[in-house]
Amino acid sequence: SDEYGNIVEEHYYQREGMRCKSNRGVASIRYEYDSNGFFANERFYGIDGNPILNYRGIARYSYKNDNTGNVLESSFYDTDDNIKQTIYGFAKAINKYDSDGNCIEVAYYDEKGVPCVSIEGCAKWTRKYNKNGDLLEHWFWGTDNKLCLLDGYIAGWTADYNEKGFCIEKRNYNIDKQLTISDLGYAVVRNTYDDYGNHDGACYYNEEYKPCKSNEGYAQWKALYNANGQKIKESYYDESGVPCNNKSGYASIYISYDTIGNISSIVKYDVDECIIAYYYRHCTLPSYIMDKYDIFISYRRKETADKAEHLFTLLEHKGYEGQVSFDRENLDGRFDLEILKRLDD
């Protein structure tokens, strides 16, 4: 450490005291600071003390900061201390901030200082915040300084917040700043919250602000919470507000907790209110039951019973062999009766 308490060097050793490389692929790291005490350089070295590329292919990180510690510029270098384009897709990034210190722009450049596309899929992104620090807008730009589609879906999004700072609506846009469907399957999402700030629902809409199903298989979900803020129920609905199964095959899920807040059971129902899956945490079961089983699995849909079978196999291989009760023969039976029978066994 230096006289200010800043770490200036790190060295890695084996138990026997021999020098070795860390999981970052280097044997030593040296840190340099600017006059305000903020990181200026981070250099990597091998066991022989020479510069070396770390596991991300970088020999030196360099930072330029303002007086408050905001990083204005970051760049990467090779072992010959030449600026280097890395797995991040760029060699240098330049940041801009608003008067409140929020980062409102990041632009990416190659070794020659020419705008380039980063691993994120854009050459620049811009943001806008309100006075409370809520992110209102986020846009993505190409090397031609025009809006571009991130991952082929959206060019940006905007959002609204309530007085408590919770996002109540988020909208996705294309390069023409028209509403568009994102990779999640919707153009707009509207969120609701209960009096305690718990996220208790969301509705999804298409480009015309009409209800639509997301990629999860439902157009709306609702949730209930207990006095401790723990979710105890979540249910799913179609475009007309009618209960529907999500893509995992259930329409609602109920969760209960033990006296110290651990999940004690999870029950999943289909649209016909039939139990299709049940989980009972073993710590809440009496010891005489636990003498035989730790985990109980039952599934009520033949066409997707392989999911439960796969879970059973994974648990068996993870050290629970002989401790899992899997109701594989009773797909058409009453789950509640079968589970009670197995508890009695």
Side-chain angles (χ1 to χ4, degrees):
S1 302
D2 61 18
E3 64 271 27
Y4 302 106
N6 297 313
I7 296 176
V8 295
E9 289 187 2
E10 287 183 6
H11 303 283
Y12 302 99
Y13 298 87
Q14 298 176 342
R15 291 182 179 178
E16 298 79 10
M18 300 291 292
R19 294 289 302 280
C20 68
K21 291 183 179 180
S22 72
N23 57 7
R24 298 178 70 182
V26 302
S28 300
I29 305 176
R30 295 176 187 172
Y31 303 101
E32 299 170 3
Y33 302 83
D34 62 23
S35 58
N36 294 310
F38 302 118
F39 270 127
N41 288 287
E42 187 176 1
R43 304 176 185 269
F44 304 101
Y45 299 89
I47 294 175
D48 58 4
N50 293 320
I52 191 176
L53 299 177
N54 68 6
Y55 72 116
R56 296 191 182 278
I58 300 167
R60 175 168 73 95
Y61 293 102
S62 178
Y63 307 97
K64 293 181 181 179
N65 312 286
D66 64 17
N67 293 332
T68 64
N70 292 319
V71 177
L72 301 176
E73 183 178 312
S74 58
S75 49
F76 311 117
Y77 295 83
D78 62 19
T79 53
D80 294 322
D81 218 29
N82 297 313
I83 193 165
K84 171 183 173 63
Q85 199 158 349
T86 69
I87 60 172
Y88 300 112
F90 61 94
K92 179 171 66 175
I94 296 178
N95 308 332
K96 295 181 181 180
Y97 300 83
D98 63 20
S99 58
D100 295 315
N102 298 305
C103 186
I104 57 173
E105 180 179 308
V106 176
Y108 304 105
Y109 301 88
D110 63 16
E111 299 98 328
K112 298 180 180 180
V114 177
C116 66
V117 176
S118 77
I119 194 174
E120 295 178 332
C122 62
K124 179 177 72 175
W125 57 255
T126 57
R127 291 175 173 175
K128 181 180 179 181
Y129 295 82
N130 64 18
K131 62 180 181 180
N132 297 319
D134 301 317
L135 183 54
L136 301 177
E137 299 181 8
H138 194 163
W139 300 98
F140 309 104
W141 307 83
T143 54
D144 56 1
N145 207 33
K146 295 181 180 180
L147 287 174
C148 67
L149 294 178
L150 198 68
D151 297 325
Y153 286 96
I154 67 170
W157 54 265
T158 63
D160 298 326
Y161 299 80
N162 64 17
E163 65 280 359
K164 295 181 179 180
F166 297 123
C167 180
I168 56 175
E169 183 170 308
K170 183 178 178 182
R171 300 165 292 273
N172 300 305
Y173 296 92
N174 59 23
I175 57 175
D176 297 317
K177 290 194 174 184
Q178 300 296 314
L179 285 175
T180 190
I181 301 293
S182 75
D183 57 333
L184 299 178
Y186 55 85
V188 180
V189 57
R190 289 176 175 170
N191 302 303
T192 58
Y193 305 84
D194 63 21
D195 293 338
Y196 300 98
N198 298 308
H199 191 191
D200 66 357
C203 298
Y204 306 106
Y205 302 88
N206 62 19
E207 307 97 317
E208 299 175 347
Y209 264 98
K210 294 181 179 179
C212 71
K213 286 186 177 181
S214 72
N215 290 348
E216 296 300 316
Y218 50 86
Q220 180 183 7
W221 64 265
K222 297 179 182 179
L224 295 175
Y225 296 80
N226 62 21
N228 296 319
Q230 298 166 313
K231 187 179 292 184
I232 58 175
K233 179 185 178 182
E234 187 167 297
S235 50
Y236 310 99
Y237 305 86
D238 64 16
E239 299 92 331
S240 300
V242 177
C244 70
N245 290 331
N246 62 18
K247 74 173 185 179
S248 297
Y250 58 92
S252 60
I253 180 172
Y254 290 77
I255 308 169
S256 62
Y257 303 83
D258 61 23
T259 55
I260 59 174
N262 296 313
I263 293 176
S264 58
S265 69
I266 297 175
V267 186
K268 297 178 181 180
Y269 295 84
D270 63 13
V271 290
D272 298 319
E273 298 185 352
C274 294
I275 295 176
I276 59 172
Y278 191 96
Y279 162 79
Y280 212 133
R281 184 179 173 87
H282 74 267
C283 66
T284 62
L285 293 174
S287 59
Y288 70 85
I289 294 177
M290 296 320 306
D291 289 340
K292 185 165 185 179
Y293 296 123
D294 284 339
I295 302 170
F296 296 84
I297 300 176
S298 187
Y299 210 78
R300 281 296 166 276
R301 286 187 177 275
K302 285 184 177 181
E303 64 272 17
T304 52
D306 59 313
K307 294 181 180 179
E309 180 84 37
H310 181 57
L311 175 60
F312 172 68
T313 302
L314 289 176
L315 289 169
E316 290 268 302
H317 290 168
K318 289 292 185 179
Y320 290 93
E321 185 174 359
Q323 302 175 57
V324 182
S325 169
F326 179 32
D327 178 13
R328 75 177 81 210
E329 297 88 9
N330 193 45
L331 287 171
D332 294 320
R334 282 283 303 279
F335 170 79
D336 52 351
L337 297 180
E338 182 66 18
I339 197 68
L340 289 173
K341 177 178 178 297
R342 294 194 178 210
L343 288 173
D344 290 339
D345 291 342

